[in-house]
């Protein structure tokens, strides 16, 4: 007989997450490494290995240059570091837009090589056929509409969506299309509150907001932004930590100690 403590931890599944529509808010953060993912795992329902890692970790200007292999490497690390949360890995730009077949090949590669539970891709109505194709073939898809960073060159930057009422029908149609195509949830990024609220009421799958108000069914933030590691976080980010200053102070203290021959001390060396 196994005791409570011995029971294997079960990962949150895609149907469990989808069933949270209209229920308790869904908690999510990004993570790109095994060690931060292990911490986030205790508190989040799903962890996104976002292609924002290109900008956050690799100093890229946009997410457009992120290669598939990089997503797979970070995805694998996050799966290794976690036991509980559903892990979703972003499909990077250029790996899914061309055709449903191409999307399937790359999504299957991500799932096989990382062990993640789902993939995320950007785009609304124009991606509906691909989403349907993937879901029919066993790949759970989280959609991402509103501000879609991979299209920032077309959009003219990272702009809040829905400020002009005339654009609302297109955004509503995007969310409806991905929901009907079989996506199990949709990220609404950078969207005015009344539009996010309207979409959340209109569709059957959970909406996950990032800069899209509390009206969504859940929230996601980039971990480094909320930890205070980004000197210029987006306006919508609530910063819960002060990591930038803490790291700065720690590194400075270490450098001072080394220069003053205060490190390593006697009890820190092998004899
Ligand atoms: O890449 C990413 O981190 C994302 C989130 C911002 C939703 O797509």
């Amino acid at each position: 007989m196994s005791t409570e403590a011995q029971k294997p931890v079960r990962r949150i599944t895609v149907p469990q997450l989808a069933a949270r529509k209209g229920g308790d808010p869904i908690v999510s953060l990004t993570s790109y490494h095994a060690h931060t993912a292990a911490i986030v795992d205790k508190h989040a329902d799903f962890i996104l290995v976002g292609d924002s890692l290109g900008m956050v970790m690799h100093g890229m200007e946009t997410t457009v240059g992120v290669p598939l292999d990089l997503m797979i490497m970070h995805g694998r690390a996050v799966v290794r570091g976690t036991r509980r949360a559903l892990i979703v890995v972003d499909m990077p730009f250029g790996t899914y837009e061309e055709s449903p077949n191409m999307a399937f090949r790359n999504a299957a590669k991500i799932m096989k090589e990382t062990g993640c539970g789902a993939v995320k891709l950007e785009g609304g109505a124009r991606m509906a056929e691909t989403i349907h194709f993937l879901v029919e073939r066993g790949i759970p898809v989280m959609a991402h509409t509103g501000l879609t960073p991979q299209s920032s060159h077309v959009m003219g930057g990272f702009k809040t969506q829905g400020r002009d009422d005339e654009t609302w029908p297109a955004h509503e149609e995007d969310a409806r299309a991905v929901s009907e195509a079989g996506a199990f949830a949709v990220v609404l990024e950078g969207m005015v509150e009344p539009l996010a609220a309207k979409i959340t009421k209109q569709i059957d799958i959970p909406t996950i907001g990032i800069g899209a108000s509390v009206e969504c069914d859940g929230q996601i933030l980039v971990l480094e932004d909320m930890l205070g590691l980004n000197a210029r976080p987006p306006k919508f980010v609530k910063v819960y930590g002060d990591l930038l200053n803490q790291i700065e102070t720690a590194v400075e203290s270490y450098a001072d100690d080394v220069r003053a021959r205060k490190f390593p001390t006697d009890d820190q060396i092998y004899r």
Side-chain angles (χ1 to χ4, degrees):
M1 216 175 75
S2 65
T3 65
E4 268 315 296
Q6 287 168 331
K7 275 194 187 151
V9 178
R10 285 192 193 282
R11 274 196 196 273
I12 294 173
T13 64
V14 163
Q16 282 170 341
L17 203 90
R20 298 271 295 274
K21 174 73 189 175
D24 286 347
I26 295 169
V27 178
S28 177
L29 284 165
T30 62
S31 173
Y32 319 125
H33 341 84
H35 59 355
T36 56
I39 301 167
V40 175
D41 193 43
K42 295 180 202 152
H43 307 280
D45 298 304
F46 78 91
I47 296 177
L48 174 69
V49 184
D51 63 352
S52 52
L53 64 81
M55 299 167 75
V56 175
M57 290 200 59
H58 296 274
M60 297 177 180
E61 279 289 309
T62 69
T63 54
V64 171
V66 175
L68 184 61
D69 288 348
L70 195 62
M71 294 307 304
I72 291 175
M73 202 178 288
H74 285 285
R76 229 183 256 150
V78 169
V79 171
R80 272 191 220 115
T82 55
R83 297 183 332 139
R84 206 190 126 264
L86 172 69
I87 308 301
V88 182
V89 176
D90 252 344
M91 297 194 73
F93 179 69
T95 65
Y96 62 92
E97 302 89 334
E98 195 178 311
S99 68
N101 284 326
M102 181 209 211
F104 180 79
R105 263 194 310 280
N106 288 324
K109 185 173 162 73
I110 291 175
M111 293 201 60
K112 280 184 186 199
E113 294 185 18
T114 65
C116 71
V119 298
K120 175 167 82 58
L121 54 80
E122 295 185 7
R126 71 186 161 85
M127 291 314 302
E129 184 194 348
T130 296
I131 293 171
H132 182 69
F133 190 89
L134 296 181
V135 175
E136 287 264 286
R137 285 159 182 77
I139 304 209
V141 179
M142 177 175 285
H144 182 157
T145 67
L147 194 174
T148 46
Q150 291 177 10
S151 313
S152 62
H153 291 299
V154 174
M155 291 177 145
F158 298 86
K159 293 185 179 155
T160 306
Q161 303 295 298
R163 287 205 192 281
D164 175 357
D165 294 9
E166 283 179 14
T167 65
W168 284 25
H171 287 296
E172 291 173 48
E173 170 54 17
D174 277 343
R176 192 193 55 75
V178 298
S179 169
E180 287 178 2
F184 68 92
V186 58
V187 170
L188 301 181
E189 178 164 356
M191 190 177 276
V192 295
E193 179 179 32
L195 176 57
K198 193 169 181 208
I199 288 174
T200 300
K201 284 194 192 85
Q202 279 171 353
I203 64 174
D204 293 336
I205 57 173
T207 57
I208 312 296
I210 172 159
S213 87
V214 291
E215 296 296 331
C216 297
D217 295 301
Q219 299 295 326
I220 185 165
L221 283 176
V222 169
L223 182 66
E224 284 74 358
D225 286 348
M226 62 83 83
L227 289 178
L229 200 48
N230 179 353
R232 280 185 297 281
K235 182 178 166 221
F236 59 77
V237 175
K238 180 170 177 184
V239 180
Y240 292 83
D242 188 24
L243 276 200
L244 196 63
N245 289 327
Q246 286 184 312
I247 293 174
E248 184 78 52
T249 306
V251 172
E252 198 180 346
S253 303
Y254 166 74
D256 288 348
D257 277 0
V258 171
R259 290 194 186 104
R261 296 190 186 280
K262 285 190 185 162
F263 174 84
T265 53
D266 269 358
D267 54 345
Q268 282 152 347
I269 55 178
Y270 297 114
R271 300 239 180 241

